[in-house]
Amino acid sequence: MFCCIFRRRRKKLMQQPFPAAWEEIIRRNVAHYRLLNDDERARLQKLIQVFIAEKRWEGAGGLLLDDEIRVTIAAQACLLILNAAHDYYRNVETIIVYPSEVVPPERRPSFFETVLQPLEPPQPIAGQAFRQGPLILAWDETLQGGRHPGSGYNVVYHEFAHKLDMLDGAADGTPPLSARAAYREWIKVFSRQYLQLRNDLENGKPTFLDDYGATDEAEFFAVATEQFFDQPVLMKKHAPEIYRMLKEYYRQDPATRAGARK
């Protein structure tokens, strides 16, 4: 019964005309939107309508939320699931947006934890995704990444890639896949490329993938997702195996899309 209500509500949302003011926001703030064809834009708009309606949005740090913020974030988040099987990021309930980077509270050791060395002080963050909890974004970084692609850095792509990874309950760099063979291929390719990145960095070799991807497997997937959408032509040239796997996973070919629009 609950699922039927959800489906009816979503259908009703998608039948509503997409606000012209929202499309103006997307065209102004999300450069990748201009690379889509008419059919892709229409489908993305429907995703955005449902996504905005179903998520709880909170402004923090004095930020007053408005349609520009919600639509800009939703457009980038929904681009990732444009062609993929999805349930509108069912593991994202609340999105908290700060004006700029925020310093998280200092971690305190638990009562039973033995601290062998001083805890590192918390560092400013532009985004953070929790397995059980909200997703945090900095608005200035969100806007910069949306308006000026090409750097390989996009905080929305990064954090929502983490949430896709977490759909199976673990942040391990392997999102839910369709079949056992797909898991075997994914683990083979991503493990090899992850270890190669770590090895290259340790030996001072230049790398295409951002060095933050060497933090762990979960960050490797999130960083690779950023660069897949933001630097697709370069990724296809310098990391073709990763590009191939992400092309199959997201069911998109942004390198061809970028070339067609030149």
Side-chain angles (χ1 to χ4, degrees), residues 152-163:
Y153 175 75
N154 184 295
V155 66
V156 179
Y157 297 162
H158 186 102
E159 300 307 333
F160 277 90
H162 277 316
K163 296 303 290 189

Side-chain angles (χ1 to χ4, degrees), residues 132-146:
Q132 293 180 327
L135 189 147
I136 296 172
L137 294 169
W139 171 234
D140 59 351
E141 296 286 349
T142 295
L143 193 59
Q144 173 69 19

Side-chain angles (χ1 to χ4, degrees), residues 7-180:
R7 284 196 296 268
R8 287 200 299 269
R9 185 169 182 266
R10 287 174 174 176
K11 184 178 180 181
K12 186 176 180 180
L13 285 167
M14 290 187 288
Q15 288 173 340
Q16 296 175 2
F18 195 76
W22 286 15
E23 181 157 18
E24 289 179 11
I25 291 169
I26 300 172
R27 288 186 177 277
R28 183 171 65 248
N29 292 347
V30 184
H32 287 158
Y33 181 75
R34 298 192 292 270
L35 300 178
L36 305 179
N37 60 37
D38 291 343
D39 176 66
E40 290 171 326
R41 289 174 187 165
R43 287 188 286 113
L44 182 62
Q45 289 174 3
K46 294 183 185 301
L47 291 175
I48 291 168
Q49 287 172 293
V50 174
F51 183 91
I52 288 177
E54 290 190 352
K55 307 309 175 187
R56 182 183 301 113
W57 299 82
E58 297 181 10
L63 182 68
L64 182 63
L65 279 176
D66 57 17
D67 279 352
E68 181 171 24
I69 295 172
R70 283 184 283 263
V71 171
T72 302
I73 292 171
Q76 294 178 76
C78 291
L79 178 62
L80 269 61
I81 59 172
L82 180 62
N83 295 331
H86 66 84
D87 190 19
Y88 299 91
Y89 295 103
R90 67 178 182 272
N91 59 346
V92 176
E93 294 184 2
T94 303
I95 299 168
I96 302 174
V97 190
Y98 284 84
S100 57
E101 288 185 335
V102 60
V103 179
E106 183 176 354
R107 189 180 77 83
R108 297 182 180 276
S110 68
F111 180 80
F112 297 102
E113 183 178 359
T114 301
V115 179
L116 301 178
Q117 56 187 11
L119 297 174
E120 293 185 5
Q123 300 298 314
I125 60 169
Q128 193 168 18
F130 297 90
R131 189 167 62 86
Q132 293 180 327
L135 189 147
I136 296 172
L137 294 169
W139 171 234
D140 59 351
E141 296 286 349
T142 295
L143 193 59
Q144 173 69 19
R147 284 183 173 177
H148 306 287
S151 67
Y153 175 75
N154 184 295
V155 66
V156 179
Y157 297 162
H158 186 102
E159 300 307 333
F160 277 90
H162 277 316
K163 296 303 290 189
L164 292 173
D165 182 14
M166 296 171 183
L167 281 170
D168 58 3
D172 56 6
T174 303
L177 302 173
S178 58
R180 187 172 297 177

